[in-house]
Amino acid sequence: MPVRHDTVARSAREVDLVREVDVVVAGGGAAGVAAAVCAARAGASVVLLERNGFLGGTMTSTSLGGICGLYSLIDGEPVQMVHGFAEEVRDRLDRAGGIRGALPWLQTASLPYDLFIMKSVLDDLVETQRLTVLYQARLVEAGVEDGRIRHVIVRGRGGLFAIRANAFIDCTGDGELAAMAGAATEYDRASLQFPTAMFRMGGVDTTAAMKVPRDEMHRLLEQAVTDGYDLPRTAGGIYSVRDGIVHLNITKVKVDGHTPDTFDPFELSEAEREGRRQARLYLEVFRRYVPGYANAYILDTGAELGIRETRRIVGPHVLTSDDVLKERKFDDAIAANCWPIEDHGGGRSTRWVWLSPGGYNHIPYRALLPMGVCNLLVAGRCLSSTHDAQAAIRVTANCFSTGQAAGLAAVMAGSGDMASINIKSLQAALKAGGVNLAPMPETANA
C-alpha cells in the first residue's frame, strides 16, 4: 500500500462478548469449511467466520469453476490422489449432479463443478452439531496476551462483537488473523502471481466449443493478438458442466503493467474494473474467432477477483520448490500434493513445472505453524512456503487437506500449544478420516 503520512485516531471501546468456544476458524473457503467441520466432528465447539453470505471462498466467490489438485494424469488417465474431506465434497457433488467427471488437460486433470451445487453441498456439510457459521462477519482485530490469541473482534452488519476461544485457525487466504496476532509473515510485492477475473458465458454451442483442441484455441487467440486484440493470456482453463454454459479462467489482471497490490484499496478497485473489462474483450474475441461462441454472452463474472497469492506465514518449515519438485516426504506429513508449480507471472503464458506422473510431495505439519503465536494454525494458500512452492500448494484440493489437518490438530491441542501435539496421533486421525499420505507406491524418501 502506498505510504501515507496522515493518520486519524481510533477510539477504543468495549465490545460485547457473544460466544466462548473451543475453536474459531476464520474464513469459510475450502480450508475453512474442512477445518471447522472436522473440528466439530471431533467434539469441539466451533465458530466459523465467513465474510460473504455463502461458503466456498475462491471456489464460489470468484467462480473458480474447477477443483485442482485431486488428480495425477497417468498414461493419459486421471488417477485420484487426494481423498479425505476432499473426497467427501467430491462425492456429495457427484450425488447432487454437480460434476461430470475429471477433465484431463496438459499433464494433469481438474474437476469442473456447478457453482450453486457447490454452495449447497457446503451448506449441507456445516449442518453439524457444535458448529456455528456466522456469515457477513469480518475480522477486525485479535486480542493477544503472552503469545496467545484470547479473542477476536469481528464486524457484522450490526456492528462489532467478540468471540473467545482456546484455539484459532486462519483460513482467510491472506493470513489476516496471523498478521493481526503478530505472527511472522512475508509479503513479497515484487513477485506476486497475477490475479484472474473468472467469468461464465451463456449461449454457447458447447458441443462445438468443447471440441476445440487446446493447441488450436491457443493458435486462434494468438491470431487475435496479431490482429490487434490486446489479450493478456492466450491459454487458460475452459470448463463446461451445463450444456450451453462455459466457465473461463483466462484473464490476467494488471494495473499499470504490474501485478496489482490487492492490499491497496485503490489498486484492488482498479483491478476489479480491469477484470470485467477483460471479460468483455474476451467475449468479443471468442465470438469472432472461436467455434461455438458466435451467439455467446457473458452470463456473470465472479463476485470478486480471483487472487492467487498475497501474504504467507513463516513457520518452522518453509516449503520450497525443491520440496515440491523433488517430491519430498516428511515425518510430520499431513497432506499429499500432486499439483505442479503453476506460476501466473508476466507475459501471456503460464509457467508450469511438472511433477512425475503419479508423483507427489508431502506438506508437513510444521508449515501450518505460524511462528510467534502458539495457539494458531494456518491452512490454505497462505501456509509457510516460498513463492514457487506456493504456486503448487495453493490449489483447492490442498486447501481441503490442510484444513482437515488443522481442524483435527486444533482439537488435539485443546488449550495447549499447537506445536506440542502428537504427530502420529494426528496422522492416525487423518487416516481414519480417509486421508492417504502415500497414494502411490514409495520410491524415495526425504
Side-chain angles (χ1 to χ4, degrees):
M1 182 178 293
V3 175
R4 295 181 177 88
H5 299 290
D6 293 338
T7 61
V8 296
R10 182 178 179 183
S11 300
R13 59 190 174 103
E14 291 187 347
V15 175
D16 287 341
L17 180 67
V18 301
R19 190 69 64 91
E20 295 189 49
V21 293
D22 298 318
V23 180
V24 165
V25 179
V33 171
V37 171
C38 291
R41 288 175 177 174
S45 57
V46 183
V47 166
L48 172 60
L49 302 171
E50 169 51 43
R51 63 187 177 87
N52 292 309
F54 51 87
L55 297 170
T58 298
M59 292 188 295
T60 52
S61 64
T62 72
S63 305
L64 183 61
I67 297 175
C68 295
L70 285 175
Y71 305 99
S72 278
L73 203 63
I74 302 175
D75 296 328
E77 293 297 323
V79 175
Q80 189 167 339
M81 303 279 285
V82 176
H83 295 85
F85 193 84
E87 168 61 14
E88 184 173 355
V89 174
R90 190 210 63 79
D91 181 61
R92 287 178 179 241
L93 286 169
D94 190 17
R95 286 188 277 122
I99 56 176
R100 285 181 169 173
L103 176 67
W105 56 287
L106 296 178
Q107 297 179 42
T108 184
S110 59
L111 182 68
Y113 57 85
D114 179 274
L115 288 170
F116 182 76
I117 292 179
M118 174 65 82
K119 290 180 181 178
S120 300
V121 162
L122 300 180
D123 278 341
D124 292 343
L125 278 164
V126 297
E127 290 292 329
T128 301
Q129 287 186 342
R130 296 178 291 274
L131 171 57
T132 299
V133 181
L134 298 181
Y135 294 102
Q136 299 189 34
R138 299 203 64 137
L139 285 174
V140 174
E141 62 184 69
V144 181
E145 296 176 8
D146 301 324
R148 297 184 67 85
I149 303 175
R150 302 296 179 177
H151 65 265
V152 288
I153 295 181
V154 182
R155 178 175 292 281
R157 290 181 70 88
L160 300 179
F161 58 90
I163 301 176
R164 184 178 292 151
N166 292 323
F168 295 81
I169 306 174
D170 186 339
C171 300
T172 62
D174 292 326
E176 286 183 42
L177 182 53
M180 289 175 182
T185 63
E186 62 179 4
Y187 179 60
D188 187 356
R189 174 69 184 80
S191 68
L192 297 177
Q193 295 188 65
F194 284 87
T196 290
M198 311 288 184
F199 63 101
R200 295 192 300 166
M201 289 186 191
V204 178
D205 178 352
T206 44
T207 301
M210 299 311 292
K211 288 181 179 178
V212 178
R214 185 179 179 86
D215 290 347
E216 175 65 4
M217 176 71 74
H218 176 66
R219 186 191 70 78
L220 293 170
L221 297 184
E222 284 289 334
Q223 182 60 54
V225 171
T226 300
D227 293 345
Y229 287 94
D230 185 20
L231 300 179
R233 286 170 71 186
T234 51
I238 300 177
Y239 307 135
S240 179
V241 179
R242 298 280 178 246
D243 292 342
I245 298 173
V246 297
H247 173 279
L248 295 99
N249 173 352
I250 200 165
T251 69
K252 179 177 287 187
V253 177
K254 303 179 181 181
V255 173
D256 296 329
H258 61 74
T259 311
D261 180 356
T262 54
F263 286 167
D264 180 329
F266 299 94
E267 286 203 12
L268 175 59
S269 298
E270 186 175 346
E272 292 282 13
R273 289 190 295 272
E274 170 63 14
R276 289 186 288 273
R277 186 199 67 80
Q278 288 187 15
R280 296 194 300 270
L281 175 64
Y282 277 100
L283 174 64
E284 181 180 347
V285 168
F286 271 69
R287 280 174 167 175
R288 179 177 174 184
Y289 289 86
V290 184
Y293 293 86
N295 299 311
Y297 58 91
I298 293 179
L299 183 65
D300 55 25
T301 58
E304 61 182 356
L305 199 62
I307 296 170
R308 293 184 170 88
E309 180 184 15
T310 53
R311 184 189 290 118
R312 302 187 301 275
I313 66 160
V314 179
H317 182 86
V318 179
L319 203 70
T320 68
S321 59
D322 270 0
D323 291 337
V324 174
L325 298 177
K326 293 182 179 179
E327 301 174 6
R328 285 187 175 137
K329 314 301 187 289
F330 297 98
D331 289 340
D332 63 336
I334 49 86
N337 163 65
C338 61
W339 194 251
I341 290 176
E342 177 196 354
D343 186 7
H344 292 254
R348 293 196 299 275
S349 62
T350 300
R351 181 172 69 96
W352 296 88
V353 189
W354 301 99
L355 280 66
S356 64
Y360 65 95
N361 67 280
H362 279 154
I363 299 174
Y365 180 68
R366 288 165 292 162
L368 276 59
L369 292 167
M371 297 173 66
V373 185
C374 65
N375 65 333
L376 175 66
L377 287 169
V378 171
R381 66 174 167 86
C382 57
L383 57 75
S384 179
S385 61
T386 63
H387 166 82
D388 277 354
Q390 193 269 355
I393 57 87
R394 63 178 170 79
V395 295
T396 304
N398 293 327
C399 292
F400 281 131
S401 297
T402 55
Q404 181 174 4
L408 294 172
V411 178
M412 292 179 178
S415 58
D417 293 354
M418 297 293 190
S420 67
I421 69 161
N422 185 293
I423 293 297
K424 296 300 182 185
S425 295
L426 175 58
Q427 290 171 335
L430 289 169
K431 183 177 180 180
V435 174
N436 185 356
L437 295 174
M440 297 292 287
E442 293 292 339
T443 57
N445 276 320

